[in-house]
Amino acid sequence: KAGVTQTPRYLIKTRGQQVTLSCSPISGHRSVSWYQQTPGQGLQFLFEYFSETQRNKGNFPGRFSGRQFSNSRSEMNVSTLELGDSALYLCASSLGRLSSYNEQFFGPGTRLTVL
Amino acid sequence: GENVEQHPSTLSVQEGDSAVIKCTYSDSASNYFPWYKQELGKRPQLIIDIRSNVGEKKDQRIAVTLNKTAKHFSLHITETQPEDSAVYFCAPRKGEGYSTLTFGKGTMLLVSP
């Protein structure tokens, strides 16, 4: 089975712009979660999508949003970018919801740099 | 929300030694306790997990122990090898009704040959 894929792998944006990141889960997986990873804050949970609905959300401002399509692929959008949004954005897929002890498989991440 | 602390933040050992990383959590409703390994430049990978109805689980050189009363669980690596060098994260979580997911800040393990 192909693993979780993320596109693009690297992205450079300037402050005030917006960005859309994409995540394709493992075939058959219905849950996609997104995380922000920075040296200072570590891994932080953004949100989880399951069956095209956001199920849980971390403590991030409304500038961070996402969606999931009927084929379980997910996108994450960050509007009005700030310097502090520079990070590695990871997505992870699992067969079922995180609340059901399902193992998560991470993608390689998208490295976002905001100048 | 869940308060998760990991200790130590950095751990240096000689090849062949044992390593222990501890994760302390605050939410007594947590019932699933995974450990992830992230090598430099790579994605996190689940290496072992335990559920609240089990006190210990082993998989070759790695093991996880759980103390629900004290609200902590630990990762044990025996006979460490240079390829064990990585950052290890814990991420305790509960089942239905949880609203977010909290990772520990990570422990950088360095195994010297």
Side-chain angles (χ1 to χ4, degrees), chain B residues 52-69:
Chain B
S52 61
N53 57 345
V54 177
E56 181 176 356
K57 182 177 176 182
K58 273 187 182 178
D59 182 4
Q60 298 181 5
R61 294 187 299 106
I62 61 172
V64 54
T65 57
L66 172 64
N67 185 328
K68 279 216 83 180
T69 304

Side-chain angles (χ1 to χ4, degrees), chain A residues 12-17 81-83 86 113-115:
Chain A
I12 299 175
K13 292 284 187 178
T14 56
R15 277 182 299 173
Q17 287 187 308
L81 284 166
E82 300 177 359
L83 295 178
S86 294
T113 302
V114 182
L115 302 176

Side-chain angles (χ1 to χ4, degrees), chain A:
Chain A
K1 258 187 192 177
V4 179
T5 58
Q6 291 186 244
T7 56
R9 294 292 312 278
Y10 302 91
L11 207 48
I12 299 175
K13 292 284 187 178
T14 56
R15 277 182 299 173
Q17 287 187 308
Q18 75 165 21
V19 66
T20 299
L21 313 181
S22 180
C23 174
S24 293
I26 291 172
S27 177
H29 284 195
R30 296 172 61 197
S31 170
V32 174
S33 299
W34 287 90
Y35 302 88
Q36 182 194 66
Q37 186 172 34
T38 59
Q41 298 299 318
L43 267 166
Q44 293 185 283
F45 173 73
L46 279 155
F47 27 65
E48 178 198 14
Y49 282 88
F50 181 80
S51 292
E52 302 176 62
T53 303
Q54 187 180 94
R55 302 293 175 157
N56 290 288
K57 191 176 192 308
N59 190 24
F60 278 82
R63 300 185 297 107
F64 292 81
S65 63
R67 59 179 175 167
Q68 187 179 36
F69 302 95
S70 58
N71 62 357
S72 294
R73 189 178 70 85
S74 177
E75 286 182 348
M76 191 194 104
N77 184 275
V78 188
S79 62
T80 320
L81 284 166
E82 300 177 359
L83 295 178
D85 296 333
S86 294
L88 180 68
Y89 289 89
L90 292 158
C91 76
S93 76
S94 55
L95 271 172
R97 292 193 55 191
L98 289 176
S99 58
S100 302
Y101 313 114
N102 288 281
E103 179 178 354
Q104 292 186 87
F105 295 84
F106 284 83
T110 294
R111 173 74 63 185
L112 172 65
T113 302
V114 182
L115 302 176

